[in-house]
Structure formats: C-alpha cells, structure tokens
Amino acid sequence: MRQRVLAAPVVPAPEPWQRIAYAPVGGLLGIGFASHPGTGQDLVMVVSNDGHGLFDAITGEKIARDRDPDPEDGSRDADPALLCPGLGPIAGSRVRIAGLFGGGLHTTSGDGWKLEVVAPAWPNERVLLSRDGGLPHSGPYGEGWWHIFHSHYSELRAAGFSPSGQTLAVATSSDLSLWTRGAGHGGSTGAQA
C-alpha cells in the first residue's frame, strides 16, 4: 500500500472539482470555514502570524484582511488558538480554526467524496481525494482516487471540506489552496450548513 501511494503522481482533482486559488500566506497557522450571511456561499478564514484574512471560496479572492487582530477579542472561556473573530461580511461572529494548534476540518463531503492525509514518506504529507466514500487507495488510481496535493515544501496545517461540501481547502505553513464545485464552476451550490 505504501509503495502504491508513493508511486502516485500529483494530478488535478477530477470533475466537478476546479482548483480556483493558490495564495501564498507566510506563517499560516490555521484555517476555518464560514458561510456568507447574504449568499450562503463558503468563505475561508486564514489565521497567520501576520493577522487574519478572509477568502471567497468561489473566486479565491481575498475579501477582507486584519493585519492587527485584537489578542483579547472573544470570550475568556474560548481558546483563541481554535476560534477567531470574523471580519468583513462575517464580522461579529466566531470562526472555528483547524491547524497548528489542533482542531479539524470535515474529511467527507456528505455526498461521497472523501479526503485522506497520508505520510508514506514522513514528514512530507500527501492529500488523497476519493469518490464514493471508499478508501482512497483501494481502487484504480485516477478512477476512484487521486493524489491532489503533496506538502513536500512546507508543513501541512489542515485539509478538508467546508460544511457544505462545495469547497476543499489545503493549508500549509506557507500557502492556501482551494478547490470548488460551487456556483460558476460546474457544481451545485448544495445545502449550506
């Protein structure tokens, strides 16, 4: 099994997934998902050593930035490493963060897509995407599972689906990559969580 995963090259995610963004983010600590209050579409919050950023998960565009977030923000009983204040269209809310300090993102989309992070050549982790909820490496490569990301240059911080299942994000200590199957990219918008 290890040799099979090691031999699998990085390939684009299959249809209906479209890679829409690669954003350099130095000192990335973690990411989290939120829903736009007006449209319901997915948003991605990024927490780094240089502040917080909010990305539109359909276009990949950065829509809000806070270079100097208040470290005292939030309730005293909330862990500031796992929750951060919203900004831009989600100001006034809190976003759960997964990354260097813990937490986690969804590993299934709810309609058959599954994500698995493996490290057959530790410490370089690989992100595998599969269809129909099976083990990513159980069927033929390129038909039922795909190696879509290899973090050989930076530490993997988090990988997973948005609660809606329409966005897939991979964050390393140096960048954010986004895939969507949402509106405008050949997928349905689906129910928002």
Side-chain angles (χ1 to χ4, degrees), residues 158-176:
F161 295 100
S162 62
S164 73
Q166 299 302 303
T167 303
L168 169 58
V170 176
T172 74
S173 57
S174 64
D175 53 69
L176 171 69

Side-chain angles (χ1 to χ4, degrees), residues 66-155:
D66 185 355
R67 292 190 181 279
D68 192 25
D70 184 357
E72 298 299 316
D73 187 277
S75 64
R76 298 247 180 239
D77 60 339
D79 183 347
L82 297 176
L83 286 172
C84 75
L87 59 145
I90 57 169
S93 66
R94 309 266 319 150
V95 180
R96 293 193 178 280
I97 301 299
L100 182 62
F101 301 108
L105 301 174
H106 293 263
T107 57
T108 60
S109 66
D111 65 348
W113 292 97
K114 182 178 179 182
L115 194 73
E116 185 175 1
V117 175
V118 297
W122 189 86
N124 302 322
E125 294 172 294
R126 297 157 195 249
V127 179
L128 307 179
L129 178 65
S130 67
R131 185 175 18 225
D132 299 327
L135 291 174
H137 31 75
S138 64
Y141 180 73
E143 291 179 28
W145 67 281
W146 299 264
H147 174 197
I148 63 166
F149 191 90
H150 189 168
S151 66
H152 57 86
Y153 56 87
S154 294
E155 291 180 21

Side-chain angles (χ1 to χ4, degrees), residues 9-35:
V10 176
V11 295
E15 289 293 330
W17 296 101
Q18 298 292 318
R19 188 169 184 173
I20 52 120
Y22 167 83
V25 181
L28 191 149
L29 301 172
I31 63 171
F33 288 103
S35 293

